Amino acid sequence: MAAAGTAAGPTGPEPMPSYAQLVQRGWGSALAAARGCADCGWGLARRGLAEHAHLAPPELLLLALCALGWTALRSAATSRLFRPLAKRCRLQPRDAAKMPESAWKFLFYLGAWSYSAYLLFGTDYPFFHDPPSVFYDWKMGMAVPRDIAAAYLLQGSFYGHSIYATLYMDAWRKDSVVMLIHHVVTLVLIVSSYAFRYHKVGILVLFLHDISDVQLEFTKLNIYFKSRGGSHHRLHALAADLGCLSFSLSWFWFRLYWFPLKVLYATSHCSLRAVPDIPFYFFFNALLLLLTLMNLYWFLYIVAFAAKVLTGQVREVKDVREYDTAEALSPKAGKAEGAAQDTTEPSGHGKQGD
């Protein structure tokens, strides 16, 4: 395996490819890498882990402790802030039961995405405008800048918490199994990309994904607040409609346009030009491709909802992944909402996605 990448890249940013160029060049590079691998298998994987992975036990312990901290902070915020707020605003019982989950996720993703945006546009990092540069000067065991390491600790520990939260805290939805897979894949990508020092491309991945979560939770919060106090609030209804439109457009643009053409192109094609025999090339690209397929899966929900709106089947914004009250639910849904219903209603169900 190569121990270091090339010292410098092209003289200027490489133009973003088309989808056809992504498939042609990415597939061609992957086939060439597979043909040129004379010692592929578990033996190579074990040697690669021993030679290239750099993750100290104290770092893993800190990650686990921060994940526990997120769980404790969410429980405290739900009981002391979100539930009292829902009660004070006199939300509908069903909305009051779901509001704490969306409020928690909105606040986290807003802060996380803002920090990622700062790293990409408020510093000298060129990763967004020149994605192939994430592999320039790559070296085995290279130091991770503190500002990027902080983002990794923030995001990695949160997704560790999110695995637990999906199972035991969040309400259960139709896509909860896919959501759980998403959290596991994301956590594996975060931890492994940090260990192999692919942290530059990791920041770009996080930036391109978190914005959709900000808009999703913002939209859902406005849906919950538009009927508060027994009356219809037009401002919240308008914000929900605009948020839904913005969410749909940004999902396609960030996750299905920029993500494959910036990230997948850089990892599948440009990485081999900068670092021949780059460690765990197929492992990381397989996970990133899986992430792309999940993004496409959720986009189908968006398209389905848009089709219902256009055909008049739906007259207001709602989360089409949520179970109707009459549908059979997993016991997890009851657990997730039970505490919130102490001050709201006897029963209710729902869950959020990525």
Side-chain angles (χ1 to χ4, degrees):
M1 307 298 287
T6 56
T11 55
E14 183 173 345
M16 194 168 67
S18 65
Y19 287 112
Q21 290 172 327
L22 165 65
V23 173
Q24 180 183 13
R25 297 173 186 175
W27 180 251
S29 297
L31 286 179
R35 293 192 188 105
C37 186
D39 185 28
C40 291
W42 290 111
L44 178 63
R46 287 194 297 268
R47 291 196 303 274
L49 283 172
E51 295 172 7
H52 298 284
H54 295 268
L55 188 63
E59 292 175 316
L60 285 174
L61 178 61
L62 180 60
L63 186 74
L65 290 176
C66 289
L68 292 175
W70 284 121
T71 304
L73 182 60
R74 174 174 174 174
S75 297
T78 297
S79 61
R80 299 184 181 183
L81 177 61
F82 301 140
R83 285 187 206 153
L85 178 62
K87 186 175 182 180
R88 177 175 299 180
C89 294
R90 294 190 296 158
L91 299 187
Q92 297 295 320
R94 180 181 173 88
D95 296 335
K98 295 182 291 185
M99 188 275 281
E101 179 187 338
S102 289
W104 165 256
K105 292 178 179 178
F106 171 74
L107 291 176
F108 171 80
Y109 285 118
L110 178 62
W113 182 79
S114 298
Y115 185 59
S116 297
Y118 161 75
L119 291 176
L120 291 175
F121 301 105
T123 67
D124 294 329
Y125 296 131
F127 313 146
F128 181 82
H129 300 291
D130 187 16
S133 68
V134 299
F135 295 106
Y136 302 161
D137 299 316
W138 178 90
K139 294 179 178 64
M140 177 179 62
M142 62 189 295
V144 179
R146 289 186 178 181
D147 50 3
I148 294 182
Y152 260 70
L153 178 61
L154 176 79
Q155 295 270 8
S157 59
F158 184 81
Y159 278 101
H161 149 76
S162 295
I163 293 173
Y164 172 85
T166 299
L167 289 170
Y168 301 109
M169 300 179 74
D170 296 347
W172 198 252
R173 291 186 177 85
K174 297 174 184 178
D175 66 337
S176 289
V177 173
V178 179
M179 177 60 54
L180 189 60
I181 296 173
H182 169 270
H183 291 339
V184 172
V185 169
T186 303
L187 181 60
V188 171
L189 274 171
I190 290 174
V191 172
S192 56
S193 65
Y194 179 87
F196 285 92
R197 299 309 189 248
Y198 299 146
H199 48 275
K200 297 178 181 179
V201 70
I203 290 299
L204 188 55
V205 172
L206 292 170
F207 168 78
L208 293 175
H209 281 75
D210 285 348
I211 182 61
S212 300
D213 294 291
V214 174
Q215 294 172 317
L216 173 64
E217 303 306 337
F218 171 81
T219 301
K220 294 177 71 175
L221 285 172
N222 279 282
I223 292 173
Y224 303 151
F225 277 87
K226 71 179 181 179
S227 298
R228 59 187 172 90
S231 59
H232 183 77
H233 295 263
R234 293 183 178 180
L235 181 60
H236 287 296
L238 176 62
D241 292 339
L242 293 177
C244 182
L245 176 62
S246 175
F247 165 74
S248 303
L249 295 175
S250 71
W251 186 283
F252 173 80
W253 194 260
F254 281 77
R255 296 193 179 205
L256 297 178
Y257 180 66
W258 271 344
F259 177 68
L261 299 186
K262 286 181 177 289
V263 174
L264 286 182
Y265 182 74
T267 59
S268 65
H269 177 63
C270 302
S271 60
L272 291 173
R273 294 186 316 186
V275 188
D277 298 324
I278 189 169
F280 283 75
Y281 167 85
F282 293 103
F283 171 77
F284 283 104
N285 278 288
L287 289 181
L288 290 171
L289 181 59
L290 178 59
L291 196 59
T292 304
L293 293 176
M294 286 188 285
N295 288 337
L296 183 60
Y297 166 81
W298 277 306
F299 188 66
L300 296 179
Y301 275 104
I302 299 173
V303 173
F305 174 74
K308 290 182 178 180
V309 172
L310 293 175
T311 57
Q313 299 179 50
V314 174
R315 296 186 179 276
E316 62 178 10
V317 176
K318 61 178 289 188
D319 191 339
V320 296
R321 299 161 308 151
E322 293 184 347
Y323 288 104
D324 294 330
T325 304
E327 293 185 67
L329 302 178
S330 163
K332 297 183 184 69
K335 292 180 181 179
E337 297 182 2
Q341 291 160 359
D342 290 343
T343 58
T344 55
E345 66 171 346
S347 62
H349 308 287
K351 172 178 186 322
Q352 175 233 315
D354 174 294

